[in-house]
Amino acid sequence: MPGDSERTRPPTEGAADGRAEQPDDTTGETMNQTAEDTHARPDGTENGHVPDQDLDDTRSSRPPSGIEGVEVVEPPIPERVRRPADGVRLAAAVVLLVLGLVIADLAAGTRGAVEQDLTDATSGLPRLLLTLLGWMSGIGVLLLPIGVGADLLVRRRPMQLIQALGAAVVAGVLVIVLAVLVQSGNGGFITSILTRPTATGHTGPLDIVLVSMLALLTVADISGRKWVSPIATTVIIATLVTTLLSGAMTLAALACSLLIGWLVGLAFRLVFGVTSTRPPGTEVAAVLVSGGLPLTRLELIDANDAGDRRYLGETTHGPLDVHVIDRDTFGLASGRRLLRVLRLRSGFTRPPALTLRSEVEHRTLMGLALRDAGIRAPKPVAVSEVGPFSAVIAYDEPRGTPLSELEGELDDAQLAAVWRLAGTLHRRRLVHRQLGPSTILLDDRGGVALSRLGSGDVAADDISLRIDLAQLLTTVALSVGPERTVESAVAVLGEDAVLRAVPVLQPVALNPDARVALKASKSVMGELRERLVALRPQAEAEAVEPVQLRRISLKAVATLVMGGIAGYVVLSQLAQVNLSQVISTADWRWALILLGFAALTFAGASIALAGAVQIPLRFVRTYMTQLAVAFSGLVAPAAVGNIALNTRYLQTSGLTPTIAGASVGVAQVAQFCSYFVLLVISGVLAGTGPAVSFSPSPVLVATILAVLTAMLGLLAVPRVRALITDRVLPQIKSAVPQVLAVLQHPKKLSQLLGGALLLDMSFVAALVCATRAFGSDAPVAAVAVVYFAGAIIGSAVPTPGGLGGIEAAMSAGLIAIGVDSGTAVSSVLLYRLATYWLPIPFGWFSLNRLQKVGAI
């Protein structure tokens, strides 16, 4: 790297001599070097710790001994860096602060009780100990900043001392501003949460000593300092105890003082950076040479601030790929992996390593496992620590051309070699997780290798292996097309093995390299999936049904938000009810009848589903399936859970996926017809008086008309028409024969319509019984109208089981027909208890039982 590089070319005497060995022979030796608890290092330290000073203070201007004759080429290492771990800590501090304030606001009584308990507990300490704590706090607060400043000056870090003092000053100013706001009456929620009234006003919102001290210590980075760290911890604890006993601060104020001081210090570290602890290339070369590698040249080729530093090493036996993992940048790769773990479900990605040692050990294990399996991949030939904050791994890398550069120039022999590699990985239960276009290498002799070790695992689970195969199928399809990919994969791996990848053939399962390549050819994955499913159409149900890989999705977030709103609505309704009065005044004879009608609702759904299919269904299993639907309502809107479970049940009962879906659709149509017919009859019987008026608002009518107009307008778009022609119409055509078949059999038709009517009438009867249990004599027809309105709203609200929406709508409906508010809320809650909450444990049992017997 001419121009900005520093070339370290030590004298050539004492060049690499008889210590040089073959890389294969040094693997065990160098790995044992990292596994030792104590071993000598080039700087003469032990256990990876430098006594009484940091790593960067031990660097000498002269190259370390033992690398004479080794040319090191690299630009100057920056003196200050921003550590990704500080960003993670800052985010954690903000989250903890916000959560702490919210909890303190919601649990004011508990907060005071805990504070009093802690005060009583600490005041009971021996008087001598309390006196010592007071002396430690008073003297420590004065001497600790002086000691920290002297320590930084001794380590030749004047700028860090200035920044630490600046953080302390900023933190102190922040505390003073908050105190002025509180004393002037403009503190807002801070006053009620962090302070308490006194004879002269309020206690302080924050402790200026703690906030400033934490900010200073955070910027000074005293972690790991032999004397400063324990002394600082003791002083902080002593200050907390004495301040709490004095009553000058609330417990919430003390906790927030610690968090805000830490937060200010972390913000300073991110803005101004911290002193770099990255070892230079000369130290890396010294460690490799001391491990027995005949190194002659080491050149930095990738100073990646978001991951490893990569060097190109030259030895007498050939080139090496040298990776240096630094503490300064280690957190970014782990942070990205943590986000992937949070985004995907457990088992679909490897959790991030928490320490440098665990990351080094994992990479070494993967390299040796792939080598033992006979797969050409980067082979670790030297593994060691480089001081206390870094580690180095040297790889002997395979040679070849990446698949991304071949542009489809693969013959059948090369494709077969790729699938044999996949077969070897699966037989050895090795998962790679990064089988993208730049990872697969092919040489001139038709051999296949891996350019990286990936983020995989040994002894992998089945789903991870299937995801690996799905990634490889997509990677090869991007190069040679879906048709050749499927043909070549089936020829080597077999249909069964290849079809197992179809449920996880999703973009979210791909590594970033493959996702970027897929953006240029978006149709490849869809075409690949269609060709795989076409291999065995009779297995369409198992092959097409996707596995849910995402842990967090838009639907899950919407469900969580709506569930919170629903919970708020239900709790608000509960606040209006005196539970003891409800229990004492309710007529439990009506409640028992209500339970009977609640059980009949599942019988009606079972009968309707049996009437929608031509094959006989076992009533008990069908009934248990409807109970399982009640349990699934906890995690999905009612209509979604109903359709999914019933379709699956019909598939396992012998129907094809298309016929099963059509049958469930027929049952849904029958229930809609039942809704409509009973709603019209109830509306007519209830009359049109103001007590039962449910006339829609003009806004609702306008919204419905606008939606219908927009839907009709979409039909003018060619793509929408093509979608309807290609996707929707075939499904409708496949369902028409099923509908006609049901209409041609009076018995099935009577089952279908009778079951749907029994379902709705049982729900209406259950709500009537709930109102009668609390003494209401509202007309049955009016209560029926209330039920149908609530059921429609519940199907539209995207919360589990329509939670919140149904309760609010039915309560408002009962009040509108003349039921007093307390009775209305009590009746709805009793109705929901019998029809929604009580069936849930039975649904859980039914779901597990049906899964064990293979009925779902």
Side-chain angles (χ1 to χ4, degrees):
M1 295 182 181
D4 62 346
S5 299
E6 291 182 349
R7 293 182 179 270
T8 304
R9 192 186 295 272
T12 57
E13 61 176 308
D17 50 18
R19 292 178 306 163
E21 303 175 12
Q22 294 290 342
D24 290 348
D25 299 331
T26 65
T27 303
E29 177 185 345
T30 53
M31 285 188 63
N32 290 334
Q33 185 179 5
T34 62
E36 295 286 346
D37 291 332
T38 59
H39 56 274
R41 299 179 181 276
D43 56 3
T45 64
E46 293 184 353
N47 296 330
H49 298 286
V50 182
D52 300 327
Q53 54 186 354
D54 281 354
L55 171 68
D56 55 342
D57 299 332
T58 67
R59 295 175 185 165
S60 172
S61 58
R62 296 174 299 172
S65 61
I67 62 168
E68 292 80 2
V70 179
E71 180 185 8
V72 179
V73 182
E74 68 174 357
I77 294 179
E79 295 183 0
R80 305 193 68 80
V81 295
R82 292 178 176 85
R83 294 176 183 164
D86 288 337
V88 176
R89 295 188 185 105
L90 181 63
V94 172
V95 170
L96 289 175
L97 181 62
V98 173
L99 288 178
L101 291 175
V102 171
I103 293 174
D105 187 28
L106 295 177
T110 304
R111 182 182 72 217
V114 171
E115 183 177 336
Q116 185 61 44
D117 291 342
L118 288 176
T119 302
D120 295 341
T122 52
S123 61
L125 296 174
R127 182 174 297 275
L128 177 61
L129 179 58
L130 294 176
T131 304
L132 288 176
L133 288 175
W135 279 95
M136 287 183 197
S137 174
I139 297 176
V141 165
L142 296 176
L143 297 183
L144 183 60
I146 299 175
V148 171
D151 178 67
L152 291 175
L153 291 177
V154 169
R155 290 192 285 161
R156 299 187 296 278
R157 296 185 176 184
M159 286 304 300
Q160 188 171 355
L161 174 59
I162 294 174
Q163 292 164 8
L165 293 175
V169 171
V170 170
V173 171
L174 177 62
V175 175
I176 293 173
V177 171
L178 289 177
V180 171
L181 290 175
V182 169
Q183 295 300 332
S184 63
N186 298 316
F189 72 95
I190 295 178
T191 303
S192 60
I193 296 176
L194 299 183
T195 68
R196 63 168 172 263
T198 63
T200 58
H202 289 85
T203 59
L206 296 172
D207 190 309
I208 190 170
V209 173
L210 285 176
V211 175
S212 299
M213 188 77 67
L214 258 295
L216 183 143
L217 296 176
T218 302
V219 177
D221 194 11
I222 64 170
S223 59
R225 304 298 296 158
K226 189 173 183 180
W227 297 105
V228 179
S229 181
I231 292 176
T233 303
T234 303
V235 171
I236 294 297
I237 293 176
T239 304
L240 283 172
V241 173
T242 54
T243 306
L244 181 63
L245 289 177
S246 68
M249 291 282 166
T250 65
L251 179 63
L254 292 176
C256 287
S257 298
L258 295 176
L259 286 173
I260 291 178
W262 188 36
L263 193 150
V264 171
L266 290 172
F268 262 71
R269 288 171 62 138
L270 281 178
V271 172
F272 298 103
V274 296
T275 303
S276 174
T277 59
R278 304 181 190 181
T282 52
E283 293 187 16
V284 176
V287 169
L288 295 177
V289 170
S290 66
L293 285 182
L295 195 66
T296 59
R297 192 173 191 271
L298 190 67
E299 179 179 359
L300 182 69
I301 59 174
D302 186 7
N304 189 358
D305 291 334
D308 302 350
R309 277 188 291 158
R310 291 187 59 201
Y311 290 84
L312 176 61
E314 295 182 4
T315 69
T316 56
H317 307 293
L320 293 177
D321 188 24
V322 180
H323 290 234
V324 179
I325 312 171
D326 299 311
R327 183 182 70 171
D328 295 338
T329 57
F330 174 67
L332 275 183
S334 296
R336 287 194 298 269
R337 198 176 297 162
L338 176 61
L339 290 177
R340 187 169 173 83
V341 168
L342 294 176
R343 189 163 56 97
L344 300 181
R345 292 183 179 273
S346 176
F348 299 151
T349 185
R350 188 176 72 86
L354 300 179
T355 63
L356 279 177
R357 177 173 289 275
S358 60
E359 178 68 14
V360 170
E361 289 175 349
H362 177 267
R363 296 191 191 186
T364 306
L365 173 63
M366 284 301 301
L368 297 179
L370 291 172
R371 176 188 177 188
D372 183 66
I375 296 174
R376 293 173 55 211
K379 179 177 63 176
V381 296
V383 184
S384 180
E385 294 177 352
V386 188
F389 305 122
S390 301
V392 59
I393 308 178
Y395 298 102
D396 183 11
E397 286 206 329
R399 301 291 175 235
T401 304
L403 194 62
S404 57
E405 300 179 8
L406 293 177
E407 298 181 356
E409 299 175 1
L410 275 75
D411 55 31
D412 293 341
Q414 290 174 320
L415 285 176
V418 171
W419 302 123
R420 283 196 297 271
L421 180 143
T424 302
L425 288 172
H426 283 215
R427 284 194 303 273
R428 294 297 189 102
R429 310 295 294 183
L430 296 174
V431 63
H432 189 276
R433 290 200 176 97
Q434 291 185 0
L435 296 176
S438 63
T439 302
I440 307 299
L441 301 178
L442 291 105
D443 56 29
D444 298 335
R445 297 172 295 176
V448 179
L450 301 176
S451 64
R452 63 189 69 173
L453 295 177
S455 58
D457 280 315
V458 298
D461 55 14
D462 181 68
I463 192 68
S464 298
L465 294 173
R466 294 162 70 181
I467 290 176
D468 241 20
L469 181 56
Q471 289 197 54
L472 190 57
L473 285 166
T474 306
T475 296
V476 176
L478 288 169
S479 181
V480 302
E483 183 176 358
R484 285 193 65 196
T485 298
V486 174
E487 291 177 357
S488 59
V490 171
V492 177
L493 302 176
E495 281 189 6
D496 292 337
V498 175
L499 284 175
R500 288 174 58 79
V502 177
V504 294
L505 199 61
Q506 307 172 37
V508 69
L510 304 180
N511 71 314
D513 183 23
R515 284 201 299 271
V516 170
L518 190 62
K519 287 182 180 179
S521 304
K522 297 181 179 180
S523 62
V524 167
M525 181 169 284
E527 295 175 6
L528 179 62
R529 185 183 184 88
E530 291 177 0
R531 290 191 175 275
L532 289 172
V533 173
L535 292 175
R536 196 179 298 172
Q538 66 273 18
E540 185 181 0
E542 291 77 12
V544 174
E545 185 178 357
V547 174
Q548 180 58 257
L549 299 181
R550 294 181 186 271
R551 188 194 302 269
I552 299 176
S553 62
L554 182 60
K555 186 180 83 171
V557 173
T559 300
L560 179 63
V561 173
M562 296 303 296
I565 297 174
Y568 177 80
V569 171
V570 173
L571 291 176
S572 301
Q573 293 173 340
L574 285 173
Q576 305 174 23
V577 179
N578 187 335
L579 293 180
S580 60
Q581 184 178 0
V582 167
I583 296 174
S584 60
T585 60
D587 187 345
W588 293 104
R589 292 173 297 179
W590 282 107
L592 292 177
I593 300 174
L594 166 61
L595 290 177
F597 282 116
L600 278 178
T601 60
F602 298 100
S606 303
I607 295 171
L609 186 63
V613 298
Q614 295 299 309
I615 62 174
L617 297 178
R618 297 170 61 176
F619 179 78
V620 174
R621 284 194 177 182
T622 309
Y623 191 91
M624 293 177 67
T625 301
Q626 308 316 307
L627 285 173
V629 168
F631 175 71
S632 71
L634 281 175
V635 295
V640 177
N642 187 337
I643 294 172
L645 270 180
N646 281 323
T647 302
R648 182 63 180 171
Y649 169 65
L650 294 181
Q651 291 177 15
T652 57
S653 299
L655 296 180
T656 64
T658 303
I659 299 300
S663 300
V664 174
V666 170
Q668 293 287 320
V669 170
Q671 291 182 19
F672 173 78
C673 294
S674 173
Y675 272 155
F676 181 76
V677 171
L678 291 179
L679 178 59
V680 170
I681 295 175
S682 301
V684 172
L685 294 178
T688 56
V692 292
S693 176
F694 283 92
S695 59
S697 65
V699 176
L700 179 60
V701 173
T703 302
I704 295 174
L705 291 176
V707 171
L708 292 175
T709 303
M711 293 177 63
L712 292 175
L714 287 175
L715 294 177
V717 180
R719 288 190 177 182
V720 175
R721 290 202 305 270
L723 177 65
I724 294 175
T725 303
D726 299 337
R727 299 290 181 88
V728 179
L729 290 181
Q731 297 294 330
I732 295 177
K733 290 178 180 178
S734 64
V736 168
Q738 183 71 10
V739 175
L740 295 177
V742 171
L743 294 177
Q744 293 173 1
H745 292 79
K747 181 180 178 182
K748 286 293 182 181
L749 182 60
S750 61
Q751 274 186 302
L752 178 63
L753 297 179
L757 289 172
L758 177 61
L759 171 67
D760 291 327
M761 292 175 65
S762 297
F763 273 123
V764 171
L767 184 57
V768 171
C769 291
T771 58
R772 297 297 188 268
F774 294 100
S776 173
D777 57 353
V780 174
V783 174
V785 175
V786 171
Y787 160 73
F788 290 118
I792 293 172
I793 293 175
S795 299
V797 174
T799 58
L803 189 64
I806 290 179
E807 287 83 358
M810 288 188 175
S811 298
L814 290 177
I815 293 173
I817 64 175
V819 181
D820 65 90
S821 60
T823 301
V825 173
S826 301
S827 301
V828 172
L829 293 180
L830 179 61
Y831 163 80
R832 289 288 277 170
L833 176 65
T835 59
Y836 179 72
W837 293 108
L838 283 181
I840 285 175
F842 298 98
W844 174 82
F845 171 80
S846 299
L847 183 61
N848 283 274
R849 180 61 183 170
L850 291 172
Q851 287 177 336
K852 287 182 180 179
V853 300
I856 287 183

